[in-house]
Every structure is written in structure tokens, then in C-alpha cells.
């Protein structure tokens, strides 16, 4: 690792525990008041109970910091047998230790980690690992948020309109695009950053809204085979659905809770297509006046209130989050499906373990970009790559469309 000036190293040493604290506070705040019954219940057959996620966050922190970095023995090994990623099948994760014991375990691991940081300040130089752990917790926290929403659905409420012209598309001229990142916080699948050449394209200024999607439903889109790909038709015949998972009203809030196949079918209905990952990322990062690429749509300042929302927001109400090309709602409203399969970038190296990304380079997962309102600030950046099977109705995922010039 390149030597950092002492001052930067010192500010990093303060910054990292702060990030750890803030992320944990958000996790605990979200779980406050969740009853035991919901804590242990498998809300969805594809997902572990909320209580398992909490224990797994602590297990992962202990594994990488205490065991692998500091060479300490595994804290509470009997908990490790429950919360390690491969220890128990998901359906068996419902008989969990008492809630208070899980919280005790989570606090114990964190105390040991902080004690370790005090004893061995060198550990704070493992910046990449700390960033990984914060983003690991953040992603599990988002999954817990979905699960809690499945267990206690929020009432649909009133329709919300922003008056945005949702037909608007932005023209992007042919040229280079920057993909990925070599920054310390970049995860293994974002590295190494590289440039690719893209043909010109149009891309929606906003994610597709419920009002727009209503037109697809009204046309009988779910029953019209021409809009669906062969695999989409197969999926639909096995999962006869008629609207997105989180439908509330035909308003200006983005569609949320669709599979890749539903996104693809809507795009075909609209005589458009889904953007590739590179097209999405260029639209978020490219500054056409300077010919440069930004870290965030708005520039270099990390996400802050006002640029992104705290709930599913009507599109177009966060102009401070707009990209140089003029796209809105890129980060922090809904995840967006792209047409790109999740594959490694040339020169990919697994970190910190192959099970994080490499296990999913299997032609079975599509990339999602952007981050939802429930994603922590630690994962909100245009280079971040999320991935799910196309059949998965990712609860906080929608999409926007594109078209070649
Ligand atoms: C990238 C969100 C699909 O939650 O399954 C968490 C992230 N990997 N622990 C997931 C992850 C290992 C992953 N996703
Ligand atoms: Fe995990």
C-alpha cells in the first residue's frame, strides 16, 4: 500500500470508526421495535429472517477483522455456526437464539473490534476492508428493510405527483464512457476502472413511473406475448402477476418491485430498450462541457440530504442530484435494472473472498445501478454494481429506458 501522509492517515483513523458507528446506528434504529415473531420469520422463501441478517453482519465483521486480520480466536463460536454464510440452509434460520442474545453477540463483536483498533492502530490502514464491511452491513440493512416491509406492508397512501415530463429523453453523443472505480471504497467488481467506446443513444431523464406503467397494464401488457422475451414469457407463465410488487397508485413515483422481465416488457411496449450498464453509468458521470467523468452525478461531494431522498420519491423533486447530462433520480430513489449481465471487468481480482462477487459471474445475474432510498450513503455511487437473477422481483428496483440514436 502507498504510504499516506501522517495527517491523512490520522483523519482516516477517525473517519472509519465514525462510518462504522453511523451505519450501525441506522441498522439498530431500523430494527427498534421489531417483535420477536417478525425477527425470526422468513418473510420470503428467498430470504433469511431479519434476525439472521443482524447476526450475519456481526459474524462477517468478526471473521475479517478479528480472525483474519488480528489472528484472534472466533468470538462466540456457537453463534458462528448459525450466522456464517454457508452454515445453515435459509429455511433453518428461523430458530434463532433469543433476540437479546443476538444483540449481545453483535455488541460483543463490535467491542472486540474497537479494542483491536485501539491496540493495533495499523488496522485502520486496512481501509479497503473497513469500506467493504460498512457496505456489507449497508446492503444487508437494505435487505432487512425489504423484509420488514413485506411483514408489515405500509398503506399505499395518496398518489404523489411532481409534474415531471416523464417522456423526456436525453441525447448522449457517441464517445468514451468511464466504467468502474479504483477508489479505496470501490468493491472488487468495480475494479479496475476502464474506458469503453459507446455509440450514441437516448436515455430516459427519469425512472419509469407508476403512471407510465399504468398505460402498459391498461393495454393488457401482462397478457401480450409480443412485449415479452422468450425467457420472460416462461417466467410469466410460472409467475402469473398483473402489476409490480409495490404498486400504490398511477402517480409520479417510480415503479418498484419488478423483475428484469417486466422491465424488459415495458421497454418493448414503449418502443425502447433497457440501457446497458455502460450507458447508464455514462449518463450518470459524464460531463459534456469538460469532457470528464464525475464520481457522483452532481460532482465529487459524497451523497447528502437533498441530493437523494429518504423514501420512494416522485421523480424530479431532487434537482441537486441531477447529472451533468441532465438525468434525475439516478441515486437513492430505486435500483434500476440494466441489460448487462453481471461479469467481471478485465483484470478483476476477488476481494475479500470469491463468494462476494465471483460466485455470481454465471450468466444468471443482471446488473442493477443507482441504489434505492433504503441504500445507505456508503453504496450510493454510479460505479457501484448490484446484481440479481432476472426472475427476482427486487423489492426496491425499477428501471429507466434507452434507445439507440
Ligand atoms: C450484492 C446485494 C446481491 O445481499 O446477496 C451480502 C450483497 N454479499 N453479503 C446480497 C452481499 C454477501 C449481495 N447483493
Ligand atoms: Fe453477507
Amino acid at each position: 500500500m502507498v504510504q499516506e501522509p501522517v495527517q491523512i492517515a490520522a483523519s482516516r483513523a477517525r473517519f472509519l470508526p465514525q462510518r462504522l458507528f453511523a451505519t450501525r446506528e441506522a441498522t439498530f434504529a431500523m430494527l427498534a421495535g421489531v417483535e420477536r415473531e417478525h425477527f425470526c420469520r422468513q418473510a420470503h422463501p428467498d430470504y433469511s429472517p431479519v434476525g439472521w441478517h443482524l447476526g450475519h453482519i456481526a459474524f462477517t465483521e468478526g471473521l475479517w477483522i478479528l480472525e483474519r486480520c488480528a489472528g484472534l480466536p472466533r468470538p462466540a463460536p456457537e453463534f458462528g455456526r448459525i450466522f456464517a454464510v454457508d452454515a445453515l440452509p435459509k429455511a433453518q434460520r428461523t430458530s434463532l437464539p433469543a433476540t437479546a442474545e443476538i444483540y449481545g453477540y453483535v455488541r460483543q463483536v463490535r467491542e472486540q473490534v474497537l479494542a483491536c483498533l485501539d491496540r493495533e492502530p495499523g488496522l485502520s490502514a486496512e481501509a479497503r476492508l473497513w469500506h467493504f464491511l460498512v457496505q456489507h452491513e449497508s446492503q444487508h440493512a437494505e435487505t432487512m428493510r425489504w423484509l420488514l416491509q413485506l411483514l408489515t406492508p405500509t398503506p399505499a397512501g395518496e398518489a404523489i405527483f411532481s409534474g415531471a415530463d416523464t417522456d423526456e429523453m436525453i441525447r448522449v453523443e457517441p464517445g468514451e464512457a468511464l466504467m468502474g472505480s479504483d477508489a479505496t471504497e470501490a468493491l472488487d467488481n468495480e475494479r479496475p476502472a476502464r474506458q469503453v467506446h459507446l455509440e450514441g443513444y437516448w436515455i430516459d431523464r427519469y425512472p419509469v413511473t407508476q403512471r407510465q406503467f399504468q398505460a402498459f397494464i391498461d393495454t393488457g401488457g401482462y397478457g401480450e406475448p409480443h412485449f415479452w422475451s422468450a425467457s420472460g414469457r416462461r417466467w410469466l407463465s410460472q409467475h402469473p402477476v398483473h402489476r409490480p410488487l409495490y404498486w400504490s397508485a398511477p402517480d409520479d413515483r417510480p415503479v418498484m418491485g419488478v423483475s428484469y422481465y417486466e422491465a424488459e416488457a415495458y421497454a418493448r411496449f414503449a418502443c425502447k430498450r433497457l440501457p446497458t450498464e455502460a450507458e447508464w453509468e455514462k449518463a450518470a458521470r459524464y460531463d459534456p462541457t469538460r469532457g470528464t467523468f464525475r464520481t457522483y452525478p452532481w460532482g465529487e461531494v459524497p451523497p447528502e440530504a437533498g441530493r437523494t431522498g429518504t423514501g420512494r420519491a416522485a421523480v424530479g423533486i431532487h434537482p441537486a442530484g441531477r447529472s451533468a447530462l441532465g438525468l434525475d433520480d439516478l441515486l437513492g430513489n430505486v435500483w434500476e435494472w440494466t441489460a448487462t449481465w453481471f461479469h467481471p471487468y478485465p483484470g478483476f481480482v476477488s476481494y475479500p473472498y470469491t463468494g462476494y462477487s465471483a460466485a455470481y459471474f454465471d450468466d444468471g445475474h443482471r446488473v442493477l445501478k443507482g441504489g434505492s432510498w433504503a441504500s445507505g450513503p456508503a453504496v450510493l455511487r454510479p460505479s457501484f454494481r448490484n446484481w440479481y437473477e432476472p426472475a427476482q422481483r427486487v423489492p426496491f428496483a425499477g428501471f429507466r429506458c434507452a434507445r439507440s440514436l
Side-chain angles (χ1 to χ4, degrees):
M1 193 180 217
V2 181
Q3 278 290 312
E4 288 176 313
V6 174
Q7 268 177 338
I8 297 182
S11 79
R12 220 187 254 295
R14 282 193 301 273
F15 166 79
L16 280 166
Q18 222 177 325
R19 267 269 167 115
L20 284 177
F21 294 144
T23 308
R24 182 59 48 85
E25 246 170 63
T27 306
F28 280 169
M30 173 176 69
L31 293 175
V34 173
E35 311 133 43
R36 173 72 185 169
E37 217 246 307
H38 283 177
F39 205 68
C40 299
R41 171 120 55 97
Q42 212 185 354
H44 186 286
D46 291 350
Y47 296 99
S48 307
V50 167
W52 183 87
H53 285 275
L54 180 61
H56 167 76
I57 288 169
F59 173 79
T60 306
E61 186 173 308
L63 174 68
W64 290 101
I65 299 299
L66 303 175
E67 295 184 55
R68 302 288 167 91
C69 271
L72 295 170
R74 174 169 295 187
E78 68 286 6
F79 280 84
R81 280 193 284 278
I82 303 168
F83 299 121
V85 74
D86 297 329
L88 286 178
K90 283 184 182 132
Q92 279 175 39
R93 291 173 179 170
T94 48
S95 35
L96 295 171
T99 308
E101 281 183 43
I102 299 179
Y103 274 95
Y105 170 63
V106 173
R107 295 209 163 87
Q108 181 198 343
V109 171
R110 178 53 62 87
E111 272 163 29
Q112 287 190 33
V113 161
L114 294 177
C116 217
L117 255 180
D118 279 344
R119 264 195 323 271
E120 303 180 40
L123 263 184
S124 67
E126 299 285 343
R128 215 181 143 188
L129 190 56
W130 295 105
H131 282 294
F132 168 79
L133 289 170
V134 166
Q135 292 172 58
H136 180 260
E137 174 158 352
S138 218
Q139 291 182 78
H140 277 285
E142 178 164 354
T143 306
M144 289 191 267
R145 178 82 71 182
W146 303 349
L147 297 172
L148 293 174
Q149 191 151 322
L150 284 174
L151 290 166
T152 40
T154 39
E158 307 228 320
I160 301 176
F161 295 95
S162 59
D165 172 11
T166 51
D167 290 330
E168 190 178 340
M169 295 187 89
I170 307 274
R171 184 187 168 105
V172 185
E173 299 303 329
E176 297 304 298
L178 178 68
M179 299 188 78
S181 164
D182 298 313
T184 319
E185 61 268 29
L187 300 184
D188 62 357
N189 59 57
E190 290 167 82
R191 298 162 183 268
R194 75 180 199 288
Q195 298 219 354
V196 295
H197 181 82
L198 294 184
E199 299 302 323
Y201 59 99
W202 293 93
I203 186 163
D204 286 345
R205 176 167 172 183
Y206 307 102
V208 170
T209 62
Q210 297 188 104
R211 189 177 47 73
Q212 291 176 294
F213 204 86
Q214 180 74 51
F216 171 76
I217 296 174
D218 291 346
T219 316
Y222 275 97
E224 175 49 73
H226 293 305
F227 297 146
W228 297 74
S229 62
S231 30
R233 282 195 290 274
R234 218 172 309 124
W235 174 79
L236 189 61
S237 70
Q238 288 154 10
H239 304 84
V241 295
H242 308 284
R243 59 180 201 189
L245 187 59
Y246 283 120
W247 190 257
S248 49
D251 64 5
D252 287 341
R253 283 175 293 178
V255 165
M256 199 170 87
V258 285
S259 67
Y260 175 84
Y261 300 124
E262 290 163 276
E264 193 187 42
Y266 175 90
R268 203 169 291 181
F269 152 80
C271 301
K272 299 179 188 177
R273 58 174 173 80
L274 294 178
T276 62
E277 178 179 20
E279 287 171 338
W280 192 100
E281 197 166 332
K282 180 170 184 177
R285 302 178 71 178
Y286 185 57
D287 176 348
T289 23
R290 296 173 183 216
T292 53
F293 296 91
R294 297 173 168 181
T295 304
Y296 301 99
W298 52 82
E300 301 309 310
V301 199
E304 57 194 350
R307 298 195 191 274
T308 61
T310 51
R312 178 198 208 178
V315 301
I317 66 165
H318 292 107
R322 192 166 292 157
S323 75
L325 279 165
L327 280 82
D328 281 298
D329 297 281
L330 290 155
L331 301 183
N333 201 350
V334 288
W335 286 103
E336 298 181 26
W337 285 105
T338 74
T340 301
W341 291 107
F342 185 52
H343 283 160
Y345 292 163
F348 169 84
V349 180
S350 262
Y351 180 90
Y353 60 108
T354 53
Y356 184 72
S357 299
Y360 302 94
F361 297 148
D362 58 359
D363 285 321
H365 296 79
R366 300 270 185 182
V367 173
L368 295 100
K369 299 293 268 186
S372 80
W373 57 271
S375 310
V379 305
L380 292 178
R381 59 178 173 277
S383 59
F384 188 90
R385 313 178 75 197
N386 203 350
W387 63 90
Y388 280 98
E389 291 172 9
Q392 179 78 41
R393 302 185 95 197
V394 179
F396 299 160
F399 62 98
R400 74 180 76 211
C401 299
R403 181 187 283 150
S404 300
L405 282 192

